[in-house]
Amino acid sequence: MTTVISIASGKGGVGKSSLAANFAIRLQEIAGETLLVDADLLMANAHILLGHRPKADLVDYIEGEKTLEEVVQPVPGLMSILPGRSGSSVTLEKDGDPLEELVPQIRAMKNGFDYVVVDAPAGSGRGVLNTLSNADHVVIVLLGQATSFVDAYALIKNAFVERRITQFSVVVNMAINKSKAQAVFDNFQRTVSGFLPVSLSLVGFVLHREAIANSSRDCRPIVLAPGEKPLIEKIDVILYRILAGARSPVPQIEVSTSERG
Ligand SMILES: Nc1ncnc2c1ncn2[C@@H]1O[C@H](COP(=O)(O)OP(=O)(O)OP(=O)(O)O)[C@@H](O)[C@H]1O
Ligand SMILES: [Mg+2]
């Protein structure tokens, strides 16, 4: 059985790709065979964050040039990736959404994956909603900024109205500290629950750190850097909470009881 986690935010530049890459590396390490899918057809960059040079990508598959098995490729020593592409016009050329069947087809792959992490594009269009409605777990990345609130709210509203998605795990990224992260979530939850019958759960926060920004610049995800054990443990706890939140099996992840909350 494949468990799919889709990561979205509405607003761009909030850390979706960075979180998705780090989640996928940790899932491969602690839980099972993992595939990172970059569902961005316009400005894909998950492979760049990993320092990986794709030999084929999602657009080759969508255009029928290659099979899924041919575009899914290993990132040596880490997980597998299905890279997106930058500057593709594939979405403009087709009537339907090219991502509609992607997740079901990945689930149906012969030598399939235990976990799939989908890095959704920014926005809340049909492609984003398709990656969310086909997932077992929807993760929203939220910043303590009005623009992030507005865009995350719009995304959740569309996901509920158009796809009846009601459960969302929230990660507050670029937080100043734990209590401020909690306040950002509480504030957002109050707003959302005033209008929509959906359930949000705060699965964790990640501090704003120069080292994380630098890790993207250096094309080496932060969980691979030396001395990052506390952050790795935190990411493992976030994953544990995401996976515990719904119908999929929870992997054996060692977490201290104080971190589980
Ligand atoms: N916790 C953090 N602290 C500091 N910088 C961060 C943090 N998380 C992400 N960043 C940085 O923010 C920038 C945007 O991150 P990323 O590309 O992952 O965002 P995104 O949501 O995927 O953007 P897009 O919508 O354009 O795909 C990157 O330079 C990344 O390193
Ligand atoms: Mg991104």
Side-chain angles (χ1 to χ4, degrees):
M1 198 181 100
T2 305
T3 298
V4 180
I5 300 173
S6 284
I7 304 178
S9 59
K11 180 174 159 52
V14 302
K16 290 180 297 296
S17 300
S18 156
L19 273 174
N22 286 296
F23 280 1
I25 292 170
R26 290 308 300 160
L27 279 170
Q28 175 77 45
E29 180 81 20
I30 61 181
E33 286 303 313
T34 301
L35 172 67
L36 173 63
V37 176
D38 189 341
D40 203 327
L41 298 172
L42 293 174
M43 278 179 274
N45 58 15
H47 61 279
I48 298 170
L49 297 179
L50 293 161
H52 177 73
R53 246 188 230 184
K55 51 180 175 48
D57 63 38
L58 185 53
V59 176
D60 295 318
Y61 171 65
I62 288 169
E63 291 184 337
E65 300 288 326
K66 294 203 185 302
T67 65
L68 206 44
E69 282 74 13
E70 287 170 327
V71 293
V72 166
Q73 49 209 273
V75 181
L78 300 177
M79 80 308 259
S80 296
I81 188 169
L82 199 180
R85 190 184 288 181
S86 273
S88 152
S89 57
V90 72
T91 47
L92 308 175
E93 288 166 4
K94 300 210 169 167
D95 288 339
D97 170 38
L99 298 179
E100 188 157 4
E101 284 306 312
L102 180 65
V103 172
Q105 282 158 353
I106 289 171
R107 284 188 197 275
M109 280 174 82
K110 244 212 204 117
N111 297 315
F113 289 90
D114 301 307
Y115 296 92
V116 174
V117 179
V118 183
D119 178 13
S124 58
R126 199 149 45 128
V128 177
L129 296 184
N130 281 331
T131 66
L132 303 191
S133 58
N134 287 312
D136 299 290
H137 307 275
V138 174
V139 177
I140 303 291
V141 183
L142 184 70
L143 306 189
Q145 297 174 0
T147 47
S148 170
F149 270 44
V150 169
D151 293 354
Y153 179 84
L155 172 62
I156 289 171
K157 183 179 171 197
N158 282 352
F160 173 70
V161 172
E162 294 192 21
R163 306 301 170 96
R164 292 290 167 218
I165 299 172
T166 56
Q167 307 262 346
F168 301 86
S169 293
V170 176
V171 176
V172 175
N173 193 21
M174 306 194 196
I176 295 166
N177 57 40
K178 185 177 180 178
S179 64
K180 292 231 161 72
Q182 183 70 50
V184 166
F185 175 76
D186 291 345
N187 218 340
F188 185 66
Q189 191 180 38
R190 256 195 309 277
T191 309
V192 172
S193 61
F195 297 97
L196 299 169
V198 299
S199 153
L200 306 183
S201 72
L202 178 62
V203 288
F205 70 94
V206 177
L207 293 177
H208 187 283
R209 289 179 51 208
E210 213 46 46
I212 299 179
N214 291 343
S215 73
S216 299
R217 189 200 57 201
D218 299 341
C219 306
R220 193 171 161 77
I222 190 80
V223 294
L224 300 176
E228 291 291 347
K229 197 154 182 278
L231 179 71
I232 289 170
E233 284 175 0
K234 186 167 232 183
I235 285 180
D236 292 355
V237 172
I238 290 174
L239 286 167
Y240 177 91
R241 288 179 174 149
I242 292 167
L243 294 170
R247 45 192 190 268
S248 55
V250 179
Q252 297 296 312
I253 299 175
E254 290 296 319
V255 291
S256 69
T257 39
S258 63
E259 281 276 24
R260 278 190 197 191

